[in-house]
Amino acid sequence: MQYIAHQQGVIKHFAAILDTAALCLSLWPAGTLLRCLHWSASQPTTQSSLNFTQQHPLCSLMFLSKPTWLRACPRAKVTSKHFAACDTIAMGLQCTALLSFLTAVVYVSAVKAKSTAPSNSFMEVRPKLWRYNGEFAFLPSPAARSPVAVWLVEADSALILIDTGAASPEYKEPFLEALKRQLDNFASPLRLVLLTHGHVDHAGLLPYVLDEYPEVTFAVHESEAPFVTGRQQYQHLKGDTWTFAVGKWYMPAMNASLPIPRQIVLKGSGGDLAREISWLQEGMLAYHHVPGHSPGQVCFVHHSTNSVITGDVITNMATSFPFSRNSSPKCDDPFAAPTHMWSQMKTSQNILAGIKGVDTYYPSHDDGTGVTVAELKAFMGLQPDEL
């Protein structure tokens, strides 16, 4: 199933429109102040005009009356022509802001009319491997939404959840209800949550799951654990791209009150999960440390189905413009804004492609049903027999 509202093309086009509107709207107050300056400088200096400008909501903040301003800058050679030019620029910015805002409204309405809501239930994609594919709005717009998958693995005597999804209103309630319905269908209890990484769209509901299921423990890589428990924040990381330098300030913090005694720390570059979790059957699940998108991101190999849960090492999202339904999901890089080390992430894609004995990769952001080995290598520019 393709979710047109989730397409990266939608997100990129909408982000550009939104950025333009935000920039112009942020300059609106500056434009208004410039126009106040122009008006103030053009008025005769009378007591009534002095009283008005000092009492004006904007002018009074900086005492932008003509006499006060000129006394503060006695040598400034500013004429009414300068203010008139500023006024013209301000009016142009304000008109651009209005046009951008109206364009964004029309664009979002068109995308919303085309969008297809995801199925709020777990679907079995491989034997004993289930996927819940909800949607997360990373901006308050129907166009700025992304599919976010959570996985349920059937073990011999227990159930394992991989990631917990986003702590947002449109994701939280449908997911928790679907999880409860799904667990009611099994005799085995939920015992473990595995985290690919700690970003809010993947681990945001971890506190709710741990509260609802007191016997559940959670496992996270040692490099990611401080960010999940709140001892460190992603904003403090140094990245190698300007997109992360900007995007990191919009990443919500995780919950610092998580129960540390219920935490299992995965160490090193990878291995069999049975090494860290005693009750887990040997050879069932393995992990690989694949940093770059986050310091401690891991992917999980489900050996019995030759599948890899990739987290955000790659994505598989449709890329067409939203007014067309002819696009198919396509293997691609993760979102740039929350990826702190792009060079490291590209190395992790090589690790992913080099995992032996697998045939399908399942990204967390997936409009389709996974990525084949051939599709991943083609995206990376590799020959089928490389790695």
Side-chain angles (χ1 to χ4, degrees), residues 5 107-116 142-143:
Y107 186 90
V108 168
S109 300
V111 171
K112 188 174 182 180
K114 290 280 188 180
S115 66
T116 304

Side-chain angles (χ1 to χ4, degrees), residues 6 8 11 138 146 293 312 315 317 333-339 342 365:
H6 297 156
Q8 282 187 339
I11 294 165
F138 57 89
S146 168
H293 183 67
D312 284 359
T315 60
M317 296 172 66
D333 291 317
F335 296 115
T339 302
W342 195 261
H365 302 288

Side-chain angles (χ1 to χ4, degrees), residues 194-216:
L194 300 173
L195 294 180
T196 60
H197 59 297
H199 289 172
V200 69
D201 53 331
H202 299 266
L205 290 178
L206 179 61
Y208 297 93
V209 173
L210 294 179
D211 286 344
E212 187 70 22
Y213 304 97
E215 303 303 318
V216 169

